Amino acid sequence: QAVTHSEGPLLIVAGAGTGKTTVITRKIAWLIISGQCKAHEILALTFTEKAAGEMKSRLVAECRRRGLKDFRRRIESCTISTIHSFCSRILKENPIEGGVDPFFQVLSEGQAEILRDQVIEKIFEEECDRPLLIEALSQWGEETARRAIKRFYEMSRALGDEAGLFHCRDHSLVR
C-alpha cells in the first residue's frame, strides 16, 4: 500500500530490519515507472552512506528484476544521499546564501571527535581558574567533568544549539 500511495503525505514508522529500504526503493521505482514523477525530481535521504548505497543497489536490482535497461539509466539521475551529503552539496552550490566558506569540509566522525576533544582541552586550559570548573573538578574528578562537558555538548548539538547552550571563545573550533 505504501508503494502505490499517492494521495498526500504518508508516514511509515517501522523498526530496524522491517523492510523500510525495500518499500522506499519500490516506491521510487513505482513513481518513475507509473509516470508520477521523473527520476531527477526524486530526493531520497537517509542517515548513513551504507543505507544510501543500499538504496541505490536495490534500485539497480529492481531494474534487473523487471528487465528495465532504460529505467536503470533514468534512476541514476535520482538524488539518493545522506542528509549530510545533500546539505553539504546545497551549501557548496550556494555558499553566499548559506553564509558559509565555499571551501568548507564536512568532518568525518573521527575528525569531529578529535576536534571535540581539543575544544574540551582548550576549555580546561582557559577556564581552569573559574569557580564552577574548580568545583566540578573537586566534586567529580577530571574524567567525570570531561565526560559531563562532552555529554552537554552532544545534547546542545542535538537541540540545535539555538539557545547558545555550548560555546567556546574560538567558535571555529566548534563549527
Side-chain angles (χ1 to χ4, degrees):
Q1 288 176 323
V3 170
T4 58
H5 176 83
S6 61
E7 300 299 318
L10 174 68
L11 172 65
I12 299 172
V13 179
T18 58
K20 294 183 300 292
T21 303
T22 299
V23 170
I24 291 168
T25 54
R26 288 187 179 162
K27 176 77 171 186
I28 291 169
W30 178 80
L31 286 168
I32 297 168
I33 292 167
S34 69
Q36 297 286 318
C37 67
K38 297 187 181 340
H40 71 272
E41 296 172 326
I42 293 175
L43 171 62
L45 298 177
T46 186
F47 290 103
T48 66
E49 291 293 340
K50 181 181 177 189
E54 182 69 20
M55 287 171 67
K56 290 173 187 175
S57 67
R58 286 191 188 190
L59 272 170
V60 169
E62 186 73 11
C63 294
R64 271 193 224 112
R65 189 178 72 79
R66 293 179 182 220
L68 303 170
K69 291 181 183 177
D70 179 54
F71 177 72
R72 182 174 178 185
R73 281 189 278 287
R74 286 190 282 162
I75 64 164
E76 290 183 16
S77 66
C78 292
T79 300
I80 301 173
S81 172
T82 64
I83 294 167
H84 287 83
S85 294
F86 178 72
C87 292
S88 176
R89 189 183 101 205
I90 296 296
L91 288 171
K92 284 187 184 291
E93 290 172 0
N94 304 281
I96 295 169
E97 295 87 343
V100 297
D101 181 334
F103 302 106
F104 79 92
Q105 294 180 351
V106 177
L107 298 177
S108 71
E109 191 63 35
Q111 292 169 319
E113 191 170 326
I114 290 168
L115 196 53
R116 186 173 41 243
D117 289 344
Q118 288 174 346
V119 169
I120 291 170
E121 189 62 39
K122 192 167 182 88
I123 289 169
F124 272 78
E125 288 172 11
E126 292 182 359
E127 307 295 330
C128 64
D129 59 343
R130 297 264 182 154
L132 185 60
L133 185 58
I134 293 169
E135 184 179 332
L137 288 171
S138 66
Q139 286 187 14
W140 299 338
E142 186 175 338
E143 267 314 301
T144 303
R146 285 178 184 273
R147 280 196 309 270
I149 291 171
K150 209 181 262 192
R151 181 71 181 124
F152 185 72
Y153 172 75
E154 290 165 0
M155 288 172 51
S156 72
R157 297 290 292 166
L159 295 171
D161 201 21
E162 292 300 318
L165 295 173
F166 184 85
H167 291 285
C168 67
R169 288 189 182 126
D170 183 352
H171 292 288
S172 65
L173 290 175
V174 177
R175 301 280 176 215

